[in-house]
Amino acid sequence: MKAFFEGIQTLFVDFLFKPLDWLRSLELSNWWLANIVSWTLIIVCSYYIVYWCKELKKHQDNNEENQDTTAHSFLS
């Protein structure tokens, strides 16, 4: 059983985490490039937040949004 878990450790440490180790070593020379994954996620999330707000505005302009406060019995 010990060999099984050592195999999993070898898979992750020696193969799957190598790109992250490269990014970690890159941080000493170029911080912006080392954080490219974070920047990419920030850009993608920002795009979809803007898209979501535009869709909400479109539904509100068409009077499709139900803002009735008595929608739930505990609110009345």
Side-chain angles (χ1 to χ4, degrees):
M1 201 64 180
K2 182 179 178 183
F4 174 72
F5 289 110
E6 287 176 350
I8 292 174
Q9 174 187 352
T10 301
L11 172 69
F12 279 91
V13 172
D14 295 338
F15 297 106
L16 299 179
F17 289 157
K18 282 295 179 188
L20 298 177
D21 289 338
W22 177 75
L23 286 173
R24 186 181 63 204
S25 66
L26 181 65
E27 185 177 8
L28 298 175
S29 61
N30 189 345
W31 181 86
W32 292 97
L33 191 58
N35 288 301
I36 193 75
V37 175
S38 298
W39 288 113
T40 303
L41 289 174
I42 288 171
I43 290 169
V44 168
C45 288
S46 298
Y47 172 78
Y48 283 108
I49 287 172
V50 169
Y51 172 78
W52 181 44
C53 289
K54 285 182 179 180
E55 288 294 314
L56 287 174
K57 177 73 171 139
K58 185 170 67 173
H59 286 287
Q60 187 175 9
D61 290 343
N62 290 336
N63 293 326
E64 295 177 4
E65 187 165 345
N66 184 8
Q67 295 183 351
D68 186 13
T69 58
T70 60
H72 300 287
S73 61
F74 60 86
L75 292 175
S76 44

